[in-house]
Amino acid sequence: MKGFHSLFLIFISGFCLAQEEQFTNDSIPLEEAIEQLKAKQQNLDFFYRSEWVNNIKIHKDNLSPELATEEAITLLLKDTRLNYYLNESHVILLFNTTILTPQIREIESVNGDNVSDNVRKVIFQNENANEDPENKLFVIGNIKKYKKESNSTVNGRVILENEPISGVYVFNVEPFISAITDESGRFSITLPNGINELNFQSVTTIATKRKINVYSDGELEVKLDVDIVALEEVIISTQREKNINSIQMGLISLDPKQVSIVPAFLGEKDIIRVATSTAGVQNVGEGSAGINIRGGKADQNLFLIDNNTVFTTNHFFGFFSAFNSRGVGGLALYKNGIPLEFGGRLSSVFDIKTKKPNKEELEISGGIGVVTSQLQLEGPIDKAKTTFLINGRGTYSQYILDKFKDSSIGNNDVSFYDFTLKTYTKLNDQDEVALTAYFSHDAFKVKSDTLLSFSDFSYENKVIGASWKHVFNDNLFGILEVGNSNFGYLSSYDILPTQAFNVDLFVNEFRTAAKFDYYVNQDLNYKFGIETKSYTLSPGKKTPNGSASLINEQSIDKERALELAPYVSASYNVSKKLAVDGGVRYSIFNSFGPSEINTYEAGPPKQSSTIIGTKSYKEGEVIHSNHGPEFRVQGRYLVGSGSSIKMGYGRTRQNMHLLLNAASIAPTDVWRLSGPFIEPQLADQLSVGYFKNFFGEHLIEASVEAYYKDINNLLDFKTGAELQFNPTIETDILQGDGKSYGIEFSIAKSTGWLSGWLNYTYSRSFVRLDGDNPSEIINGGVFFPTGYDKPHYLNSVTNYKFTRRLTMTLNVVYSSGIPVTYPVGKWDFKSSENILYSDRNEFRIPNYFRLDLGLNINASHKLKKFTHSSWTFSVYNLLGRNNIYSVFFEVKDGEIKGYQMNIFPTPIPTITYNFRF
Amino acid sequence: MRKFLSLVIFITSCIEPYNLEIRGTQKALVIEASVTNLAGEQFVRLEYSYSLDGAIPEPVSGASIQVTDNEGNSEVFQEVWPGFYQPSSSFIGVVGRSYQLAVQTTDGTQYQSQEEELLAPSTSVNIYGEFLVLRSESDGGFDRGIQFLVDIEGANEENHNYRFEYEENYEITVPYASLLEFDPSNGTINRRDPPLGLCYLSEESRDLIIATTSGQTTSELREFPIVYISEDEPDLIGDYSLTIRSFRVSSAAYQYYKDLEENNESAGSFFDRQKGSLIGNIQNINNVSEPVLGYFEVAAVSEDFKVFEGGTWKEDGFRPDQTLQHCGNLLDTIQTVDILNGNINFGSRLIYNFGVSDFSVPGTNYSVITLLAPASCSDCRSYGTLDKPLFWD
């Protein structure tokens, strides 16, 4: 009765999900079928656990009580996981196991006596009922479907505190096969039948393993525990193999751990800055918020915080990003293959998610640096049904001002602060609502060196968003999102009372989205939905400042528009090796009155003298409309072990344009919408990549990605264009063709004492401006390099862990100098020398090279310690290299003078104290 | 966007002079042409742009130049000196007429301007100065000085655009003005007439100064800044006059000057405007893409001046630095007899005055010595001229 005893041992705690077969009207509950069988064959007694038969239905054709007993029972249980043992009139049902019979023994003897490498050991009875899941053997699939020397697919789900957890690295030791969990915590891994050991690793959790016994395709649920000690540790293992297996290409995903290893700049850890240390992402330089992605302009990046647009993403002229990295849970940067739920910018999406608040207890953390300080509070309220996170950060120190003795600005003339609030409320198992609020404020005063310059500036971002996630069933969930993003700036001048004025502008975006995710099976997943954005822009309003002012109140007509974008996409595993992902987003953009639109003479260039009238549009009247599909598709093909080839094509449309004619972004740049004079910008990108992981447990990830991008209606400007407070902006705008191409090499090692990454990108970016009139033709109407064309770009981060407490990081950046328009002569006019400039962007400034060093010291690793603290020392520009940021020229007292500007030509040391309790 | 310059300076403080590296030179034709309502102010200057390290431009000689108006009159300009052309008659512009410039160079290339109307001159210009404290460009402190401003009444409702030129005339005094001079021919020391203490200096604007009333409620120009003189400059120690010539120009000309101004100034930051070649109102009629530098300016000119006495803003707290204070240390005392005997080599020194010594010179009865001072402390002609501006009463 060995088998009978095992009956009680094989009970497997609820980690295995019953594989329910789909029956419809032809089905009857198994329990009912057993009763009917008992009714016919009255001598039979059935023994079983009710939970084995609960909710199990069988096809009614399988109920044939007229057959002989054994045949009838066999047929009855045919499609279930149940077996039986017939002992005279006692039918003992067995759940997913089998009483050893001579036939089965034969299999076992094959395994036991003639051990072949190809045949895995199969255990038909659970060996023990150990409560520790790591020592327990989990059974996968249906024993009746077991085929030796065959493979089966395990579809698993990983959960952390009842929430699915994404990015968990799952691997089998022998043979080495791995997978990564997706957003719903799901993973799929194909293993040889028999005993396997799956390992689960993630940044935030304690690593665990599960011994599984695979009979056939089946499911597995794994619960992980939070790893508290790991916080300051560098683990990027979640990324491992993801690059290979994911269909997504052109994606950079960062988590706060990676942020912590790049040397902090002025004591500030900055996830955006870290993103610029990855391949294909170019930063204009210090003191500049401009990020150029794959030859795209700085305004072609969509920055989202919990899916709400953030318009100005920097503090202090780009020295700091507007996002407090302490409150950031992760960043996904899409350079191509942008998910179809996103749209509106040509080059990229920075999908920033706020951190999930601590669910267990109240946690306070903060940092005290030389320039900024910050504090964060998070935790559960209302019996953990609601969790919240709130943080704030501000400048408080004059360190940076004191660093530069020649400061022409008095105290408190530059300041910024920001706040983030995030809450989650779980209403029930199906519904969760979340709220995000974000506010940032910057103010600075500029000495007026000419009397009519602006002197005071301030700008603010206000973002509020709410989302409601509803799980309809295991396969379908939907998210409803509503949000409002607002950016505004104010500048004022008040030195001469009669000329005193204020200029303010704002951008407002009201967004709603309904998004659905339909998980059909592990091979097919649909996503669909609709996003609407309603824009209101005031490109500028000038008002007199004070009663003595003669300034006329003047404003540029507000712009209003509505953009609708339904989308549908599917991701499909065609075979074990080939997976594709693609879909379409259809953007419908309409701008509305009231507005007065100038009309111009047909032939000559648009300028104030060729205005022949205006056309009035009433409130709600459509001024301009454009629409078009954005197809995006990408595929992955696994080649051999640990490598894949990916290919992707994507189209993007942009209807909101920032008027900037330099590579960078200034807070004073003005957003404008597509309209009668501005066509939507379009980009088509084709990219292909090869990804390979190697060395040991695939510790080193390498990839090569090449892309070609073609841009239509790339926005550019005439020479000397006035972009601010310009009521006739159309007279200064040019639109032309852009093209960029490049190849990105990347190598990364994410674990071990030595970790880091090295990227090299060769890329080019060109524009052609070939209008009808001389002022609309730049450089003879041929392609010329854009102002952000940097052919060579190399960056690397090397992290060396001396001990668990002491870590050193080295950051290296090298890039070609940016193109400049350079003086090629001078000419005299009105008793002054004037500069004669070369063709636009004909020359380049010298190359850029910088080395930063960071040192992180953790005070303690004790888990039970009340506070956790760490010290970060960093030296920015360790070599003190005198990088030329720009060269420029001006005419002073009638003569041409040349200047070069170097930002931070000396090493900048900083120290930050971080704490958490 | 000069306003950003200072901010960027502040966060870097590392803007350094940059030696202009010559990376190729482009040669383009420059046409500076002017038709005004004042006699003698019509001219056309033709030359080429030149290398960044070049000293003088190459003039374009031998061109035939003609200005025609919308009433069919035309005026030929003759070359007065190489590259400089003026009408041979007493041609002056007439308010209300439009003028067009035609230039043909010796190689036959023809250039033509757009038509430019001569607009009515501005009404009288009110010139005044205000004491102003500005943040210093060079350090964290403040600059104290006088900002000279103009007001121009609005004649009508239309936009007025101006280009200004100014001339400053001011007194300059030296602390040890030479009152005496030695006449070696007869060995005497004579009184100078006039003494070399008070001179007059004249400086002309070299910047493009432009203003517009566009964007205002009225066409009057108020508080438009012309020139700023800080306390450490000598201009306002004594009397000072500011002469302003206002050119009423077309809005197209204003826009060109504005673009030129922007093209000539940089903050060296990403806030700079796009640089490049500007397109004026003159083009090669056979090849419109040829860059032609310069502008055909048609403007009515009015001239106004105002004299300000030294110390005008004393009450406001304006205290110009008394320069040349170091001169006291440079005085030399000389035995008068040595001068009379011709034993002194003056060099660049001049006689300031006699002085009385406490001690009589041994062997003589002289207790009078002579004080010599370097020319920079005693001769105002080192800085200006003794001639008072004619228009100062």
Side-chain angles (χ1 to χ4, degrees):
Chain A
M1 291 298 287
K2 184 185 170 192
F4 192 79
H5 290 298
S6 63
L7 185 92
F8 301 101
L9 301 175
I10 56 167
F11 173 68
I12 310 272
S13 64
F15 292 114
C16 289
L17 302 178
Q19 189 167 23
E20 288 181 31
E21 308 266 338
Q22 297 292 316
F23 289 103
T24 49
N25 299 331
D26 295 335
S27 65
I28 54 168
L30 180 59
E31 216 163 356
E32 194 184 316
I34 291 171
E35 290 307 313
Q36 288 189 28
L37 185 62
K38 272 166 74 180
K40 289 269 177 182
Q41 305 198 6
Q42 303 238 343
N43 56 331
L44 287 180
D45 260 345
F46 279 78
F47 297 90
Y48 54 86
R49 282 185 172 231
S50 64
E51 60 259 35
W52 297 345
V53 294
N54 270 350
N55 301 322
I56 304 258
K57 292 182 176 180
I58 61 165
H59 197 275
K60 63 182 182 201
D61 291 350
N62 289 352
L63 175 64
S64 301
E66 63 279 2
L67 293 175
T69 305
E70 286 206 34
E71 281 174 56
I73 300 170
T74 306
L75 184 63
L76 190 75
L77 302 178
K78 190 178 130 202
D79 291 321
T80 72
R81 289 194 192 185
L82 298 174
N83 278 313
Y84 71 96
Y85 178 73
L86 185 65
N87 184 7
E88 295 172 2
S89 65
H90 300 299
V91 182
I92 299 157
L93 295 189
L94 301 169
F95 182 78
N96 216 14
T97 191
T98 251
I99 302 297
L100 296 181
T101 65
Q103 190 198 359
I104 299 291
R105 273 207 190 92
E106 189 181 28
I107 296 173
E108 198 179 36
S109 72
V110 168
N111 294 322
D113 303 338
N114 302 318
V115 177
S116 118
D117 286 346
N118 302 335
V119 182
R120 313 211 111 219
K121 194 181 173 198
V122 178
I123 294 177
F124 291 91
Q125 281 80 41
N126 202 355
E127 289 166 328
N128 57 58
N130 197 319
E131 281 307 306
D132 178 354
E134 289 206 356
N135 295 325
K136 197 179 282 179
L137 182 71
F138 294 92
V139 174
I140 306 292
N142 186 341
I143 193 167
K144 285 187 280 183
K145 292 182 182 170
Y146 171 77
K147 286 193 196 113
K148 63 177 175 176
E149 290 178 50
S150 177
N151 291 336
S152 300
T153 301
V154 179
N155 291 304
R157 194 153 170 267
V158 181
I159 52 176
L160 175 69
E161 296 169 343
N162 298 322
E163 295 288 332
I165 172 167
S166 66
V168 176
Y169 179 57
V170 184
F171 68 95
N172 186 49
V173 183
E174 181 53 46
F176 182 74
I177 301 166
S178 64
I180 297 282
T181 62
D182 66 8
E183 281 179 10
S184 2
R186 290 190 171 101
F187 69 93
S188 175
I189 193 164
T190 300
L191 301 168
N193 290 346
I195 297 288
N196 290 280
E197 188 175 273
L198 286 182
N199 288 266
F200 298 85
Q201 288 182 1
S202 144
V203 173
T204 48
T205 61
I206 294 169
T208 186
K209 56 186 178 183
R210 293 287 182 275
K211 231 179 180 182
I212 55 172
N213 188 4
V214 179
Y215 291 142
S216 69
D217 290 356
E219 304 196 357
L220 175 71
E221 185 167 298
V222 177
K223 283 182 178 164
L224 297 183
D225 293 317
V226 180
D227 183 4
I228 299 160
V229 191
L231 260 157
E232 291 298 330
E233 219 173 306
V234 179
I235 302 176
I236 320 175
S237 56
T238 61
Q239 304 299 314
R240 224 194 302 164
E241 305 297 293
K242 189 175 183 178
N243 60 332
I244 302 292
N245 293 323
S246 152
I247 309 172
Q248 184 69 45
M249 61 187 311
L251 169 69
I252 290 166
S253 51
L254 295 175
D255 59 54
K257 295 298 149 300
Q258 281 154 297
V259 174
S260 67
I261 75 167
V262 176
F265 170 71
L266 294 172
E268 198 69 19
K269 288 175 181 177
D270 189 334
I271 199 162
I272 303 291
R273 184 169 289 272
V274 175
T276 64
S277 72
T278 58
V281 183
Q282 301 188 343
N283 188 217
V284 178
E286 291 94 345
S288 158
I291 294 175
N292 300 108
I293 296 193
R294 290 191 170 171
K297 231 177 167 177
D299 72 325
Q300 294 172 356
N301 308 316
L302 179 63
F303 285 86
L304 300 172
I305 184 159
D306 292 340
N307 290 338
N308 300 291
T309 309
V310 178
F311 288 99
T312 296
T313 55
N314 64 94
H315 285 304
F316 208 163
F317 285 85
F319 284 98
F320 302 100
S321 95
F323 306 101
N324 184 347
S325 294
R326 190 175 298 273
V328 171
L331 162 70
L333 163 58
Y334 298 95
K335 300 183 289 184
N336 192 21
I338 296 172
L340 285 134
E341 66 177 280
F342 301 122
R345 299 291 188 276
L346 291 193
S347 292
S348 76
V349 174
F350 283 75
D351 181 18
I352 298 163
K353 297 282 189 258
T354 47
K355 182 175 179 282
K356 287 227 169 190
N358 189 333
K359 280 185 166 177
E360 304 300 323
E361 58 190 2
L362 197 64
E363 179 180 322
I364 298 171
S365 62
I368 299 168
V370 289
V371 179
T372 62
S373 278
Q374 48 184 283
L375 195 65
Q376 179 163 293
L377 190 66
E378 57 183 302
I381 41 177
D382 189 21
K383 289 173 192 158
K385 268 174 76 182
T386 297
T387 55
F388 76 97
L389 177 149
I390 184 164
N391 69 41
R393 171 173 70 155
T395 46
Y396 73 104
S397 153
Q398 295 292 314
Y399 173 80
I400 188 169
L401 306 179
D402 298 341
K403 187 81 199 162
F404 307 104
K405 292 280 190 285
D406 289 347
S407 161
S408 56
I409 296 197
N411 289 347
N412 303 320
D413 278 341
V414 178
S415 69
F416 68 82
Y417 53 85
D418 57 46
F419 296 102
T420 312
L421 171 73
K422 178 81 197 183
T423 68
Y424 285 95
T425 306
K426 202 163 176 78
L427 303 174
N428 51 48
D429 282 349
Q430 283 80 42
D431 295 281
E432 183 183 71
V433 291
L435 185 75
T436 302
Y438 171 76
F439 178 78
S440 82
H441 177 90
D442 270 72
F444 53 96
K445 192 185 272 287
V446 175
K447 171 188 63 71
S448 284
D449 51 351
T450 63
L451 275 178
L452 297 183
S453 301
F454 300 171
S455 49
D456 288 286
F457 292 80
S458 63
Y459 59 92
E460 282 178 358
N461 275 305
K462 282 173 269 187
V463 177
I464 185 153
S467 70
W468 170 35
K469 179 178 177 181
H470 177 75
V471 177
F472 294 94
N473 56 46
D474 273 357
N475 292 357
L476 178 67
F477 68 86
I479 300 176
L480 192 64
E481 292 172 338
V482 182
N484 197 74
S485 302
N486 187 287
F487 168 73
Y489 98 69
L490 173 71
S491 57
S492 60
Y493 165 82
D494 60 1
I495 293 176
L496 294 174
T498 60
Q499 300 296 324
F501 61 87
N502 296 319
V503 170
D504 65 295
L505 59 76
F506 69 82
V507 183
N508 197 82
E509 179 186 295
F510 177 73
R511 172 181 176 276
T512 58
K515 305 191 289 193
F516 298 92
D517 188 309
Y518 179 50
Y519 176 89
V520 182
N521 54 45
Q522 70 266 25
D523 291 327
L524 183 61
N525 192 0
Y526 291 107
K527 288 180 180 176
F528 53 94
I530 184 165
E531 185 179 43
T532 70
K533 285 180 177 177
S534 164
Y535 307 103
T536 312
L537 274 76
S538 164
K541 184 177 178 191
K542 195 172 190 175
T543 46
N545 184 358
S547 54
S549 177
L550 288 176
I551 296 298
N552 195 8
E553 178 163 335
Q554 195 186 356
S555 62
I556 301 172
D557 280 348
K558 279 195 183 119
E559 297 184 347
R560 296 167 188 82
L562 182 68
E563 188 165 21
L564 293 177
Y567 69 91
V568 57
S569 73
S571 122
Y572 179 59
N573 294 329
V574 181
S575 68
K576 298 270 189 238
K577 291 186 165 179
L578 180 66
V580 290
D581 178 19
V584 61
R585 177 183 174 96
Y586 200 92
S587 151
I588 304 155
F589 179 90
N590 286 292
S591 68
F592 301 100
S595 189
E596 302 272 330
I597 305 291
N598 290 326
T599 49
Y600 289 85
E601 281 176 46
K606 291 186 186 70
Q607 53 195 41
S608 48
S609 56
T610 58
I611 296 175
I612 52 174
T614 59
K615 188 163 184 220
S616 291
Y617 292 87
K618 290 191 283 290
E619 184 160 354
E621 195 176 348
V622 174
I623 300 171
H624 164 89
S625 137
N626 76 66
H627 55 90
E630 296 168 58
F631 290 102
R632 298 175 203 160
V633 60
Q634 52 192 341
R636 178 223 64 202
Y637 187 77
L638 294 174
V639 279
S641 167
S643 63
S644 64
I645 295 171
K646 299 182 195 180
M647 201 164 178
Y649 160 78
R651 164 169 279 200
T652 42
R653 288 173 80 87
Q654 182 162 348
N655 276 307
M656 195 166 191
H657 321 275
L658 190 63
L659 306 183
L660 76 169
N661 58 8
S664 179
I665 283 188
T668 51
D669 289 330
V670 184
W671 288 95
R672 300 297 286 260
L673 296 173
S674 293
F677 302 113
I678 305 180
E679 296 288 321
Q681 302 185 78
L682 295 178
D684 292 289
Q685 186 186 170
L686 187 65
S687 59
V688 54
Y690 177 68
F691 300 78
K692 178 152 182 70
N693 295 353
F694 53 94
F695 190 68
E697 287 180 11
H698 291 183
L699 293 176
I700 295 180
E701 292 179 1
S703 69
V704 185
E705 275 191 73
Y707 66 89
Y708 181 86
K709 202 191 272 187
D710 191 57
I711 302 175
N712 285 319
N713 302 325
L714 181 62
L715 202 64
D716 215 307
F717 304 91
K718 293 180 185 172
T719 300
E722 169 69 73
L723 304 181
Q724 293 193 350
F725 203 75
N726 185 347
T728 55
I729 191 68
E730 59 272 18
T731 62
D732 277 338
I733 279 179
L734 298 174
Q735 286 192 294
D737 300 328
K739 66 174 180 192
S740 46
Y741 52 83
I743 183 158
E744 302 164 355
F745 299 88
S746 176
I747 187 160
K749 181 172 180 293
S750 47
T751 51
W753 296 108
L754 179 70
S755 61
W757 57 88
L758 171 71
N759 305 302
Y760 167 75
T761 304
Y762 175 78
S763 61
R764 299 305 308 270
S765 157
F766 299 95
V767 62
R768 178 173 63 193
L769 300 168
D770 191 13
D772 298 329
N773 295 288
S775 60
E776 296 165 357
I777 299 169
I778 306 295
N779 293 3
V782 297
F783 277 105
F784 64 93
T786 60
Y788 40 89
D789 174 52
K790 293 184 190 175
H792 302 283
Y793 202 91
L794 183 138
N795 50 36
S796 90
V797 171
T798 314
N799 187 279
Y800 192 79
K801 201 188 251 182
F802 292 100
T803 67
R804 277 182 71 85
R805 289 182 57 187
L806 179 65
T807 314
M808 186 183 83
T809 314
L810 205 61
N811 183 30
V812 179
V813 185
Y814 167 85
S815 84
S816 307
I818 53 164
V820 284
T821 309
Y822 195 85
V824 289
K826 56 184 174 182
W827 54 288
D828 294 347
F829 184 72
K830 300 291 175 208
S831 56
S832 171
E833 284 185 354
N834 296 277
I835 303 170
L836 177 62
Y837 278 100
S838 68
D839 273 352
R840 195 180 284 189
N841 299 338
E842 194 180 337
F843 297 94
R844 283 180 189 278
I845 65 168
N847 296 338
Y848 181 96
F849 177 70
R850 199 189 75 234
L851 200 67
D852 310 327
L853 182 75
L855 215 54
N856 199 68
I857 301 168
N858 284 324
S860 168
H861 273 290
K862 283 183 189 142
L863 188 60
K864 298 293 178 199
K865 199 162 180 272
F866 180 61
T867 61
H868 297 263
S869 62
S870 68
W871 290 93
T872 305
F873 301 95
S874 69
V875 184
Y876 189 82
N877 196 7
L878 183 69
L879 303 178
R881 188 176 190 272
N882 202 354
N883 283 308
I884 295 181
Y885 177 74
S886 67
V887 291
F888 60 104
F889 311 92
E890 64 175 350
V891 178
K892 215 161 188 182
D893 301 324
E895 280 179 29
I896 298 177
K897 301 244 164 77
Y899 302 90
Q900 66 183 39
M901 186 162 77
N902 317 304
I903 296 189
F904 302 130
T906 54
I908 309 280
T910 50
I911 179 167
T912 308
Y913 174 72
N914 290 294
F915 59 89
R916 183 166 60 87
F917 52 87
Chain B
M1 294 295 288
R2 290 211 33 170
K3 51 193 167 258
F4 288 108
L5 176 58
S6 49
L7 183 90
V8 175
I9 288 174
F10 131 70
I11 34 188
T12 64
S13 81
C14 8
I15 290 176
E16 302 166 351
Y18 178 71
N19 285 335
L20 279 174
E21 180 191 341
I22 310 299
R23 295 182 174 179
T25 296
Q26 257 176 40
K27 198 166 155 184
L29 181 66
V30 181
I31 303 179
E32 179 179 356
S34 171
V35 166
T36 70
N37 60 339
L38 289 188
E41 295 284 335
Q42 338 316 321
F43 68 89
V44 175
R45 207 170 44 79
L46 290 189
E47 59 193 34
Y48 289 111
S49 63
Y50 53 114
S51 164
L52 285 169
D53 57 353
I56 44 162
E58 175 195 342
V60 180
S61 286
S64 45
I65 293 176
Q66 185 170 297
V67 169
T68 50
D69 69 20
N70 57 340
E71 294 181 8
N73 307 303
S74 70
E75 184 67 31
V76 172
F77 281 48
Q78 304 288 352
E79 191 163 8
V80 185
W81 62 75
F84 191 80
Y85 303 76
Q86 285 200 299
S88 40
S89 71
S90 57
F91 162 74
I92 61 165
V94 179
V95 171
R97 287 192 194 170
S98 295
Y99 295 89
Q100 191 172 30
L101 173 75
V103 173
Q104 185 173 353
T105 53
T106 47
D107 63 0
T109 317
Q110 289 179 299
Y111 300 89
Q112 198 169 44
S113 78
Q114 285 156 22
E115 284 197 7
E116 290 279 329
E117 188 189 343
L118 187 71
L119 302 165
S122 63
T123 54
S124 69
V125 175
N126 180 26
I127 304 165
Y128 56 101
E130 275 177 10
F131 179 60
L132 210 62
V133 178
L134 293 177
R135 286 172 187 276
S136 168
E137 206 167 318
S138 52
D139 53 47
F142 292 93
D143 265 348
R144 297 152 62 83
I146 302 301
Q147 176 69 55
F148 288 94
L149 305 137
V150 293
D151 288 350
I152 302 177
E153 294 301 322
N156 46 41
E157 286 312 303
E158 61 188 273
N159 273 346
H160 285 54
N161 301 286
Y162 300 102
R163 182 173 68 81
F164 295 106
E165 291 177 358
Y166 66 85
E167 184 182 333
E168 297 170 285
N169 291 281
Y170 58 91
E171 294 179 342
I172 184 117
T173 53
V174 284
Y176 299 101
S178 174
L179 304 172
L180 307 169
E181 64 185 328
F182 175 63
D183 183 352
S185 60
N186 53 16
T188 56
I189 295 175
N190 305 320
R191 190 155 290 276
R192 280 186 194 267
D193 185 31
L196 302 181
L198 176 63
C199 286
Y200 303 90
L201 217 72
S202 167
E203 279 174 24
E204 290 200 0
S205 54
R206 290 191 68 192
D207 289 332
L208 201 53
I209 306 165
I210 48 170
T212 182
T213 61
S214 168
Q216 293 190 168
T217 39
T218 66
S219 65
E220 64 182 334
L221 196 66
R222 285 265 181 257
E223 290 192 321
F224 183 78
I226 299 288
V227 58
Y228 178 80
I229 297 167
S230 76
E231 277 184 335
D232 54 16
E233 292 175 89
D235 308 32
L236 296 174
I237 295 171
D239 289 356
Y240 172 92
S241 81
L242 185 63
T243 306
I244 289 175
R245 281 147 52 90
S246 30
F247 294 73
R248 170 129 192 254
V249 297
S250 65
S251 25
Y254 173 82
Q255 194 54 52
Y256 181 77
Y257 296 148
K258 181 94 185 134
D259 292 345
L260 187 60
E261 201 173 70
E262 299 280 357
N263 225 23
N264 281 339
E265 66 180 26
S266 279
S269 73
F270 24 85
F271 305 109
D272 278 353
R273 292 207 194 176
Q274 179 63 57
K275 307 302 182 199
S277 50
L278 301 175
I279 294 165
N281 62 348
I282 308 169
Q283 63 184 32
N284 179 335
I285 57 177
N286 296 315
N287 175 16
V288 291
S289 62
E290 180 194 323
V292 180
L293 306 172
Y295 205 85
F296 174 47
E297 181 188 84
V298 174
V301 188
S302 62
E303 188 172 291
D304 300 86
F305 74 93
K306 190 160 181 183
V307 182
F308 301 92
E309 285 179 11
T312 300
W313 298 276
K314 203 175 173 181
E315 301 278 289
D316 298 327
F318 179 70
R319 306 263 193 288
D321 291 347
Q322 298 297 325
T323 53
L324 307 176
Q325 278 176 349
H326 64 288
C327 285
N329 304 326
L330 300 174
L331 284 180
D332 247 348
T333 51
I334 301 289
Q335 303 283 358
T336 307
V337 66
D338 288 343
I339 297 175
L340 295 172
N341 292 340
N343 292 336
I344 294 297
N345 176 17
F346 284 95
S348 70
R349 295 174 299 178
L350 279 73
I351 304 173
Y352 158 55
N353 207 345
F354 293 125
V356 180
S357 170
D358 292 345
F359 310 98
S360 60
V361 180
T364 70
N365 291 326
Y366 288 119
S367 59
V368 172
I369 52 159
T370 305
L371 299 167
L372 300 192
S376 61
C377 296
S378 60
D379 184 357
C380 70
R381 292 172 304 179
S382 315
Y383 307 101
T385 153
L386 290 167
D387 301 324
K388 196 174 183 179
L390 291 173
F391 60 92
W392 284 22
D393 47 346

